[in-house]
Amino acid sequence: MKLVVIGFGQCGGRIADEFARLNGRARAQRGIEIITGTFAVNTDAADLTGLSSIKRDYQHRILIGGRKTGSHGVGKINELAAEIAREDGDKVIDAIRTAKRFYESDAFLLIGGAAGGTGSGSLPVMTQIIKDRYGDKPVYNLIVLPFEHEETTEGRSIYNSAICLKSVNSVADAIFLVDNQRYVRKDFSLRNNLAKINSLIVEPFYNLLCAGEEKKAKYIGAKMLDAGDIIQTLAGWTVIGYGKSELPAFRFPLQRSRDFRKKSTETHKGIHAMDEAISELSLGCNPMDSARALYLVSAPVKEINMDLVKELGDYLKDIASKAIIRNGDYPREKGMLDVTVILSELSDVEKIRDYYNKSASYIREIKERQKEIESKLRGIDEASKDIPSLL
Ligand SMILES: Nc1nc2c(ncn2[C@@H]2O[C@H](COP(=O)(O)OP(=O)(O)OP(=O)(O)O)[C@@H](O)[C@H]2O)c(=O)[nH]1
Ligand SMILES: [Mg+2]
């Protein structure tokens, strides 16, 4: 599957930059292109300069709202970013249109952080503009949810996230939800290592996007997973996960796959990888709430057999029993067996419900505070009424 990737704001831009590197890796290791164009859009010129893999010209690093913000960002005011995106959206469309291999793209992926200003505000508006313009291609979002410490120290983080999520839900074809806090849970040192988190966020997309673009017969699986399968799977709230099992570097020739013991070891390793993929999903959710799911197993050709694929299918069916499950195998990996899982069309996501509820009380609180300020100001005005003014 080939994507057009566009990152908004600092978070979105950096993750898009990571996707540009992913495409470089696919090209160098496998001779495959998985991305037809990578762009970063920001109201902050310095953030655009800080990227490394996205092309440096103004058609790929796109500055919007320069006049309104002095090119210094919108300082968390996502309403302002939404307004700027409506005014400057054409700049982004022009850039996409001029990308050389745009016509080969299967879908768009728009990325941004929900809690900031630029990404949170411009991404929903640009999703709508791109959807109106290119009705025939799905438009997907990847939305990064804030760390816990951001939620507790800054009310605006939750409020911005709620607005962003509600807005994209009505326009995007599917929304990948990625919770920053999940990566810290795994390894606390990651809290300060955004680059590492970004590479973990992007990793599950590697085999997923490569599998359907594979040209060499020996790397095409018994059941190839292509863009059609992915597009059929993706709808609404979506999470993605990735897990792997290392394989022994060398095996004696006697241990052929016909050996039943080896087969069961492979299955065991496959289940281990899938278990990891499910427990490391990009956002915590209940798999039972998913209506569509997908898994892709990738390993050296000798390690993939139908038993393994079937066992993995049974395993996923057990925990996501209401989902239509699509699958594929990709005999490409070396030295490991990995599993990518997508759970899509989630009917409930606790975290999102939580954002909506908390924001509703935040809005009430802000209104109260505003009233209090106004009444105090009236008091001062009242006290000054007999004082002459120089103006
Ligand atoms: N995973 C990840 N999260 C990031 C990164 N940069 C920022 N964030 C998160 O994104 C949110 C802030 O959004 P930013 O992208 O910095 O904000 P922005 O869209 O540039 O908006 P303004 O700076 O307010 O104009 C916070 O929740 C951060 O934790 C990143 O590189 N990776
Ligand atoms: Mg910024």
Side-chain angles (χ1 to χ4, degrees):
M1 181 177 210
K2 288 195 175 99
L3 296 176
V4 179
V5 174
I6 315 173
F8 295 85
Q10 176 150 47
C11 174
R14 285 190 190 144
I15 296 175
D17 212 38
E18 198 64 47
F19 268 100
R21 284 191 279 285
L22 200 71
N23 191 44
R25 188 170 134 203
R27 192 186 297 144
Q29 290 182 348
R30 299 176 171 177
I32 290 174
E33 299 281 340
I34 50 177
I35 291 170
T36 55
T38 318
F39 306 88
V41 179
N42 212 323
T43 55
D44 188 324
D47 282 356
L48 289 174
T49 314
L51 303 172
S52 57
S53 299
I54 293 177
K55 288 187 189 145
R56 291 187 178 276
D57 57 88
Y58 72 97
Q59 293 275 48
H60 289 85
R61 300 187 186 189
I62 306 163
L63 185 67
I64 55 170
R67 249 178 306 122
K68 278 204 162 104
T69 70
S71 308
H72 291 310
V74 295
K76 285 207 157 219
I77 309 300
N78 63 355
E79 293 91 341
L80 175 58
E83 197 182 304
I84 289 171
R86 269 187 286 274
E87 287 166 10
D88 279 0
D90 283 350
K91 274 193 184 176
V92 181
I93 296 286
D94 281 348
I96 297 171
R97 227 162 19 97
T98 50
K100 257 199 316 245
R101 303 204 338 277
F102 171 67
Y103 64 94
E104 290 177 23
S105 331
D106 298 298
F108 291 91
L109 181 66
L110 276 57
I111 308 169
T118 302
S120 174
S122 59
L123 185 144
V125 172
M126 281 312 305
T127 300
Q128 185 168 48
I129 294 176
I130 291 174
K131 262 217 86 66
D132 288 348
R133 183 69 186 249
Y134 301 105
D136 59 329
K137 289 190 206 297
V139 183
Y140 303 127
N141 290 168
L142 189 154
I143 308 272
V144 176
L145 307 178
F147 294 102
E148 227 163 72
H149 68 91
E150 294 174 306
E151 293 179 6
T152 46
T153 54
E154 171 58 64
R156 183 90 205 186
S157 297
I158 291 178
Y159 179 66
N160 280 357
S161 300
I163 297 183
C164 176
L165 291 166
K166 178 174 173 174
S167 310
V168 292
N169 189 36
S170 61
V171 280
D173 289 289
I175 303 133
F176 289 97
L177 296 163
V178 174
D179 183 3
N180 266 341
Q181 192 63 29
R182 297 277 287 182
Y183 301 87
V184 179
R185 193 192 53 152
K186 206 172 170 186
D187 175 357
F188 195 74
S189 67
L190 286 185
R191 178 170 153 176
N192 298 315
N193 192 345
L194 288 173
K196 177 71 184 155
I197 293 184
N198 294 348
S199 84
L200 291 172
I201 291 173
V202 165
E203 185 62 31
F205 289 89
Y206 188 51
N207 283 330
L208 187 73
L209 297 176
C210 283
E213 298 304 318
E214 191 58 68
K215 302 289 183 293
K216 298 187 189 85
K218 65 174 173 175
Y219 296 131
I220 292 179
K223 164 83 188 67
M224 184 178 180
L225 187 102
D226 61 12
D229 296 301
I230 299 173
I231 290 170
Q232 286 304 321
T233 300
L234 295 178
W237 305 123
T238 301
V239 294
I240 185 164
Y242 172 82
K244 63 177 183 233
S245 286
E246 302 293 333
L247 298 172
F250 177 75
R251 186 175 278 132
F252 288 105
L254 272 177
Q255 290 177 291
R256 301 299 303 178
S257 63
R258 252 168 292 216
D259 182 334
F260 74 94
R261 270 164 311 193
K262 175 163 171 283
K263 250 186 191 168
S264 78
T265 321
E266 280 156 3
T267 310
H268 184 75
K269 287 193 183 282
I271 296 289
H272 173 268
M274 179 169 273
D275 216 22
E276 184 176 298
I278 300 280
S279 48
E280 302 299 336
L281 284 169
S282 54
L283 172 74
C285 67
N286 181 357
M288 282 295 180
D289 293 327
S290 149
R292 306 180 198 208
L294 166 159
Y295 67 96
L296 173 70
V297 52
S298 184
V301 65
K302 293 194 303 289
E303 311 287 338
I304 299 181
N305 59 62
M306 285 328 286
D307 282 357
L308 166 68
V309 176
K310 185 180 168 307
E311 285 278 339
L312 291 177
D314 290 347
Y315 182 95
L316 192 57
K317 192 78 208 162
D318 261 358
I319 57 167
S321 57
K322 298 191 189 120
I324 299 171
I325 299 176
R326 293 180 173 80
N327 72 290
D329 61 298
Y330 185 25
R332 188 43 140 140
E333 279 299 1
K334 291 195 184 106
M336 66 172 168
L337 181 158
D338 57 22
V339 174
T340 310
V341 173
I342 290 179
L343 299 179
S344 196
E345 211 175 13
L346 291 163
S347 52
D348 186 26
V349 182
E350 192 186 344
K351 182 104 185 148
I352 298 181
R353 243 186 315 118
D354 225 39
Y355 282 136
Y356 291 160
N357 289 331
K358 285 185 179 148
S359 296
S361 34
Y362 177 75
I363 293 168
R364 275 194 297 275
E365 220 175 274
I366 295 284
K367 280 188 181 148
E368 290 291 317
R369 224 180 292 162
Q370 196 59 36
K371 258 194 236 156
E372 203 179 302
I373 292 170
E374 279 164 17
S375 100
K376 280 190 175 163
L377 285 174
R378 268 198 304 276
I380 289 199
D381 281 351
E382 188 61 24
S384 74
K385 72 177 187 311
D386 296 330
I387 312 295
S389 162
L390 298 173
L391 303 173

